[in-house]
Amino acid sequence: MNITDPWDIVEEFESKVANYAGSKYAVSTDNCTNALFLCLKYFEDDDLFWNNNPKNITIPKNTYISVPQAIVHAGYILKFEDLEWSGIYQLKPLNIWDGSVRFKQDMYKGGYHCLSFHHRKPIGIGKGGMILTDDIEFRNWARVARYEGRTYRVKYEDDVP
């Protein structure tokens, strides 16, 4: 591997995780909550999907507190359901999955699968997250969005506003 800047390492890590999990792409984030938030924002203005219906997102009533916070912060209407789950659940009706407590080979089954690398999770690197996807347009959008909208792979001091 030819490392010329830190983004080379990030892309290598993303590639390794995507390959292990079974997705085409992976986008690293600072945590799973922000991964979920980015996914929610990506679909926020999709009028074909929402068709002027209320933007309700339904999740299990027993989940980590930051998940409902991210849903509300992203501008959606939060609904809870009484659902037993293990390892992964969907942010219904979107094809977004909270898989923050699971990390297994070939676990990716489609959509936008968010991971956590918290110190108590399977990859305990302290803090971090990732979004698994097969959607190249999303991958390209999320790489910019996670970087405060700055040009991907360009240092702050070199980025043109």
Side-chain angles (χ1 to χ4, degrees), residues 3 46-47 85 101 157:
I3 298 173
D46 188 343
D47 290 332
W85 63 277
V101 295
E157 60 268 17

Side-chain angles (χ1 to χ4, degrees), residues 6 9 17 33 36-37 61-62 73 78 91-92 98 109 115 124 130 132 135 145-146 153 155 161:
I9 297 168
V17 171
T33 301
L36 291 166
F37 181 77
K61 68 179 184 178
N62 295 317
H73 184 58
L78 175 63
L91 281 68
K92 297 176 186 174
D98 179 356
K109 302 300 180 205
L115 307 175
M130 193 148 319
L132 305 172
D135 182 345
R146 70 162 177 211
R153 292 189 72 113
K155 295 177 183 175

Side-chain angles (χ1 to χ4, degrees), residues 28-146:
S28 60
T29 61
D30 56 347
N31 57 57
C32 186
T33 301
N34 287 340
L36 291 166
F37 181 77
L38 285 176
C39 291
L40 289 162
K41 292 305 279 185
Y42 187 71
F43 287 101
E44 177 181 36
D45 295 323
D46 188 343
D47 290 332
L48 292 175
F49 182 83
W50 293 110
N51 198 19
N52 296 319
N53 291 317
K55 294 178 181 172
N56 296 325
I57 300 291
T58 304
I59 59 172
K61 68 179 184 178
N62 295 317
T63 187
Y64 190 67
I65 188 66
S66 70
V67 178
Q69 290 171 336
I71 291 167
V72 171
H73 184 58
Y76 292 84
I77 300 166
L78 175 63
K79 304 286 183 186
F80 290 105
E81 68 179 332
D82 192 12
L83 174 72
E84 293 293 323
W85 63 277
S86 177
I88 188 170
Y89 64 84
Q90 183 180 6
L91 281 68
K92 297 176 186 174
L94 296 174
N95 199 8
I96 299 172
W97 299 83
D98 179 356
S100 66
V101 295
R102 175 177 288 170
F103 192 74
K104 299 198 261 185
Q105 191 166 12
D106 298 322
M107 67 184 172
Y108 178 73
K109 302 300 180 205
Y112 307 84
H113 183 134
C114 299
L115 307 175
S116 176
F117 302 139
H118 184 270
H119 74 274
R120 294 187 314 196
K121 306 285 174 69
I123 296 184
I125 59 174
K127 184 173 172 82
M130 193 148 319
I131 305 164
L132 305 172
T133 188
D134 287 342
D135 182 345
I136 186 73
E137 289 180 26
F138 172 81
R139 194 236 17 213
N140 294 340
W141 174 87
R143 282 183 165 178
V144 172
R146 70 162 177 211

Side-chain angles (χ1 to χ4, degrees), residues 1-11 152-155:
M1 180 178 157
N2 184 20
I3 298 173
T4 58
D5 68 48
W7 286 111
D8 293 334
I9 297 168
V10 171
E11 287 182 6
Y152 182 61
R153 292 189 72 113
V154 175
K155 295 177 183 175

